[in-house]
Amino acid sequence: MGLSVPAKAATPPPVPIRPGAAPAGDPFQGNGDSDEETADGTTDDGPNGGGDEEDANESADSALHALTCLEGDAAGAGRRKGVQRRDFLKRHRFEVSGIGGFYASDTLSSTYSYGGALAYFPSEDFGLEVLVTRSPVRFRLEEPFNGFDREQHFTPGVAWQGIASMMWSPIHAKLRFSDETIVHSDIFLVAGGGKTFHDSVQGLTWEVGAGIKLYLSRFVTMRIDVRDFLLPQEVLGRGRITNNVTVLAGVSLWLPG
């Protein structure tokens, strides 16, 4: 007598699910635009979902991050600061400077010099400057010989100098003095010509040099200049082209144009 075994019910094949659609019979079935969680735990927004919104948010975050890097985050202490905007622009502005310093001459004795300068900037990188200085002039090498013949061959005096120059500022830099203090600056080149008024000078004076300006505030600037004044000079009957290397420092005030 045999035993009959009931037949096993056949399992229906799985129904494929289209991306973006809920399984059949799901009470939370959407219209194809609902979010669907993927295998890696992220959310798929579907073909008409929030993909564009996410791209827009990412673009906004990237722009905000770039702005933070450029301008510095005032709220986040200790964050690294990158390139900041200039404190102000020189274009169409006047610069009034008071300067002074020392110079070393090839023929005459080294001495001091002081004066002032007025500059105008038609553009941000180019400027025109007029420099006026006053310097005492002496020839100390003659003094030992004066004890023999009791004659004064070189008379000490005062030299006035007027120079018209062109200025070019190709480099805008920053100097960091502390974690919270960053000073903007310009490195500039200068070249020009003019006249030195003294009996020993026989012609025009030419000038080349360079310097740096530190912008302490929007209206006050500290400057340091190194310039070489080339001029034909005759001392004790001997003429030559001399170099007069001058180091000047001063403070500038900025006026609107």
Side-chain angles (χ1 to χ4, degrees):
M1 176 177 177
L3 297 178
S4 62
V5 179
K8 184 178 180 181
T11 303
V15 179
I17 301 176
R18 294 183 295 104
D26 191 345
F28 300 99
Q29 182 177 2
N31 57 1
D33 293 338
S34 61
D35 295 347
E36 177 179 297
E37 186 175 3
T38 59
D40 58 356
T42 59
T43 302
D44 186 6
D45 293 330
N48 298 321
D52 295 339
E53 183 179 354
E54 286 186 357
D55 293 342
N57 293 336
E58 290 180 0
S59 300
D61 293 341
S62 299
L64 181 60
H65 178 70
L67 182 62
T68 302
C69 292
L70 291 176
E71 300 296 335
D73 188 1
R79 289 199 176 188
R80 181 178 180 181
K81 292 184 177 181
V83 179
Q84 285 108 24
R85 292 176 296 182
R86 302 188 182 193
D87 293 339
F88 69 101
L89 299 179
K90 304 188 296 294
R91 185 171 180 264
H92 294 167
R93 302 190 70 174
F94 288 94
E95 179 187 16
V96 181
S97 305
I99 56 177
F102 296 89
Y103 77 85
S105 176
D106 284 346
T107 57
L108 300 177
S109 302
S110 299
T111 183
Y112 60 89
S113 178
Y114 62 91
L118 175 64
Y120 174 73
F121 290 84
S123 67
E124 186 63 24
D125 297 330
F126 291 93
L128 304 174
E129 181 189 66
V130 175
L131 172 69
V132 178
T133 59
R134 181 182 187 272
S135 307
V137 177
R138 296 183 62 186
F139 185 56
R140 293 189 179 92
L141 294 179
E142 187 191 18
E143 296 176 358
F145 300 97
N146 293 340
F148 294 97
D149 54 14
R150 302 296 178 180
E151 295 183 5
Q152 187 75 33
H153 300 281
F154 184 88
T155 303
V158 174
W160 285 90
Q161 192 173 63
I163 305 293
S165 307
M166 295 186 62
M167 306 181 69
W168 179 38
S169 305
I171 301 176
H172 182 78
K174 296 185 305 175
L175 300 178
R176 179 176 178 178
F177 293 95
S178 67
D179 292 340
E180 300 297 332
T181 304
I182 296 178
V183 177
H184 294 253
S185 63
D186 276 338
I187 299 175
F188 65 91
L189 304 176
V190 62
K195 180 68 176 177
T196 301
F197 299 93
H198 190 263
D199 294 339
S200 64
V201 180
Q202 306 300 318
L204 296 177
T205 300
W206 302 101
E207 168 213 35
V208 292
I212 184 172
K213 295 180 181 180
L214 306 177
Y215 298 102
L216 305 180
S217 69
R218 297 188 62 182
F219 302 101
V220 179
T221 299
M222 178 180 176
R223 60 184 293 173
I224 301 175
D225 300 32
V226 179
R227 308 192 183 196
D228 186 10
F229 299 96
L230 294 89
L231 50 93
Q233 219 166 8
E234 182 179 346
V235 178
L236 300 179
R238 181 181 179 183
R240 56 177 296 188
I241 302 296
T242 62
N243 296 85
N244 299 269
V245 179
T246 308
V247 179
L248 300 170
V251 176
S252 302
L253 299 178
W254 291 90
L255 306 176

